[in-house]
Amino acid sequence: MKSKIVEDADVVTYVVVCDQGDEAMASLKQFVRSERLEAAQITGVGGFDRATVGWFDRMTRQFRHIPVDEPSEVLSLIGDVAEGQDGPGLNIHVVLGLSDGTTRGGHLIEGQVFPTLELVVTENPAELRRVMHPGLGVALIDLDRSQT
């Protein structure tokens, strides 16, 4: 994985390029922690050799894992970074295109990069805080606990 700052004003914008064989979520978590990002928006394109996406089941309050055991194109990747109880956390959603024209989508759990994954990470000029909502079973951004 490589990264470069492409804009450094009030808002810093990075380009992060994951290489073939990188695990996308692990690489992105490492990058977010190394840059000490507390709030950011993420977009990206590329491809995976295989991936796992998740669908949040409100009844069990867990993600149902949906394996994508074939090569796919990242047609859309969008997400954010916010501080949680254990440091910066990622919330990444993807739509993956398959060879027959169908798609799979959901919360990105893991993705084995092939041939590349190109991400734009734009730091927000705020400290966003994600707080666990026990009634929902999921951590959401809490604007009352976030700072600008």
Side-chain angles (χ1 to χ4, degrees):
M1 177 186 72
K2 298 176 264 324
S3 68
K4 180 178 182 177
I5 295 174
V6 294
E7 181 180 343
D8 187 5
D10 290 341
V11 175
V12 178
T13 301
Y14 303 85
V15 172
V16 177
V17 178
C18 294
D19 296 321
Q20 179 178 332
D22 287 349
E23 198 292 302
M25 289 299 287
S27 297
L28 196 49
K29 284 177 189 176
Q30 177 186 349
F31 170 76
V32 164
R33 288 182 188 271
S34 71
E35 294 298 323
R36 296 187 174 105
L37 297 179
E38 295 181 341
Q41 297 297 305
I42 302 170
T43 59
V45 295
F48 294 129
D49 194 40
R50 66 183 190 292
T52 301
V53 297
W55 179 79
F56 188 73
D57 185 328
R58 293 188 282 178
M59 298 300 288
T60 64
R61 296 183 180 174
Q62 295 181 345
F63 284 99
R64 288 188 195 173
H65 286 204
I66 303 164
V68 181
D69 294 325
E70 62 182 280
S72 61
E73 291 187 21
V74 177
L75 303 177
S76 176
L77 181 148
I78 188 165
D80 61 34
V81 175
E83 278 290 315
Q85 291 177 329
D86 301 324
L90 297 168
N91 182 28
I92 306 294
H93 292 234
V94 295
V95 176
L96 303 177
L98 306 181
S99 64
D100 64 359
T102 62
T103 59
R104 298 286 186 278
H107 186 92
L108 183 60
I109 305 295
E110 68 92 18
Q112 201 69 32
V113 174
F114 182 87
T116 188
L117 183 65
E118 301 165 348
L119 304 157
V120 176
V121 181
T122 304
E123 188 174 20
N124 292 336
E127 296 176 6
L128 297 179
R129 298 289 179 248
R130 200 174 300 280
V131 176
M132 180 58 76
H133 289 257
L136 300 174
V138 65
L140 302 173
I141 291 175
D142 185 335
L143 293 178
D144 292 333
R145 296 190 184 178
S146 298
Q147 301 173 1
T148 57

